[in-house]
Amino acid sequence: MKRFIPLVMLAAFLLPQTLPAQPIWIGAGEMDGLILEWQKPFLDNSDGAGFFLSTLFLGYRQRTSESLLIHIEMPMSNFDGDDGGEFLLGNPYIGLGFGSEDAIFTGDVGVRVPIADEDKWVARRWANYGDIDRMDAFEPNAVPVSGLLRFRTMFPATKLGLRAHFGPSAVVFTEDRGDDIMDVYLKYGLVGMYEDEGVLVQLGFSGLYDVSEDEGDFDSNSLHQIGMTVNADVGAGIWPGLLLRFPLDERYKNAIDLVLGINFLIMI
């Protein structure tokens, strides 16, 4: 599979240039504002795990022109156990989104600043299982770079719509790992929407495939999940929401049962 890495990396830089940035599961994705996402994985075996085993993402996005948007994000992970806790500050994200608010095709490209502590491996492990769409947010000794092509449309004369995303993510190592200089993944997803005035409901799936892995088949080198979010406008530009995700792959199910989360978008 490594022979496909140059092609994948080329796509990472070309796709967004021909085409706004947004988290995959939060509602009102085309709006500017502050974003808070709290996600808690419920483990398959919860013995020894506390309530505050969770991840937190703090983000901000702002449209600077009709076709350009900036997006920054700070990820955090907290392991809460009977034998003690562990807090991990993840890799901050800095990205650009390309495309107007009403465009069918948009894209984004971004990079994460490598500050994650390699010694906080317990907090990193559960953060990765809690949000496979952003596993690179907690990768130590590496610079994650990503680019996504996004599709969004509403069906005529209905309140139903469809979103999809596809694109590569490369984790470039900053330490010597022999011949391996990076890991490359493909991210993808398909989400159905019901959008009414002040309400947004989403249901779909997302996945992650390890392109750089030479051994094993697609099933052994990928992770998938189904998810649902419900967001509502409660006034003053505040959109609170609930999130629920379930793992689909057997080895993913062996780690967690589900992920429950809340999110807030505060328009500014």
Side-chain angles (χ1 to χ4, degrees):
M1 297 299 295
K2 290 184 178 180
R3 61 182 179 273
F4 295 110
I5 291 179
L7 179 61
V8 172
M9 289 303 299
L10 180 63
F13 292 98
L14 292 182
L15 285 177
Q17 301 300 324
T18 60
L19 302 165
Q22 60 178 318
I24 293 172
W25 293 105
I26 194 169
E30 289 70 39
M31 301 178 185
D32 300 342
L34 300 172
I35 305 166
L36 183 149
E37 301 173 79
W38 181 78
Q39 302 175 159
K40 175 176 176 55
F42 287 83
L43 312 187
D44 182 62
N45 182 359
S46 60
D47 292 344
F51 176 78
F52 291 103
L53 187 155
S54 58
T55 57
L56 179 68
F57 294 87
L58 299 177
Y60 170 78
R61 60 183 174 219
Q62 179 67 54
R63 185 169 291 279
T64 60
S65 68
E66 182 179 346
S67 59
L68 185 64
L69 179 145
I70 62 171
H71 181 199
I72 58 177
E73 178 187 85
M74 185 70 243
M76 291 163 273
S77 175
N78 184 67
F79 174 74
D80 180 21
D82 292 343
D83 298 328
E86 190 172 271
F87 177 80
L88 173 62
L89 198 62
N91 302 315
Y93 175 84
I94 304 172
L96 295 175
F98 301 88
S100 62
E101 293 185 22
D102 57 354
I104 295 178
F105 289 99
T106 61
D108 52 73
V109 62
V111 61
R112 291 191 180 273
V113 182
I115 68 170
D117 189 345
E118 64 178 334
D119 295 329
K120 304 291 183 66
W121 64 272
V122 178
R124 180 173 69 254
R125 175 190 180 191
W126 295 115
N128 288 344
Y129 278 120
D131 194 338
I132 64 172
D133 296 315
R134 288 180 282 195
M135 292 180 69
D136 54 5
F138 301 96
E139 184 70 26
N141 303 317
V143 179
V145 183
S146 62
L148 288 180
L149 171 67
R150 301 183 188 271
F151 169 83
R152 184 181 188 274
T153 188
M154 299 297 295
F155 299 113
T158 74
K159 298 176 180 180
L160 302 177
L162 194 66
R163 289 199 296 111
H165 69 272
F166 177 85
S169 175
V171 178
V172 183
F173 305 131
T174 59
E175 62 177 10
D176 186 13
R177 300 193 185 184
D179 294 335
D180 295 329
I181 61 172
M182 70 178 75
D183 284 338
V184 179
Y185 304 89
L186 286 180
K187 297 180 179 181
Y188 43 87
L190 183 66
V191 179
M193 302 182 295
Y194 171 82
E195 188 172 4
D196 201 352
E197 184 176 355
V199 177
L200 177 62
V201 180
Q202 301 181 101
L203 176 65
F205 88 99
S206 65
L208 179 77
Y209 173 58
D210 188 350
V211 177
S212 51
E213 179 57 59
D214 287 330
E215 300 180 358
D217 55 13
F218 180 83
D219 290 340
S220 62
N221 294 323
S222 61
L223 293 173
H224 300 88
Q225 60 190 1
I226 58 173
M228 179 180 182
T229 59
V230 180
N231 286 80
D233 183 2
V234 297
I238 301 175
W239 286 70
L242 294 175
L243 174 147
L244 188 63
R245 292 199 301 261
F246 295 93
L248 293 177
D249 307 278
E250 198 61 37
R251 63 190 179 98
Y252 194 8
K253 292 179 182 178
N254 290 335
I256 66 171
D257 290 326
L258 59 91
V259 176
L260 181 64
I262 58 175
N263 56 56
F264 289 89
L265 172 64
I266 304 174
M267 298 173 58
I268 57 174

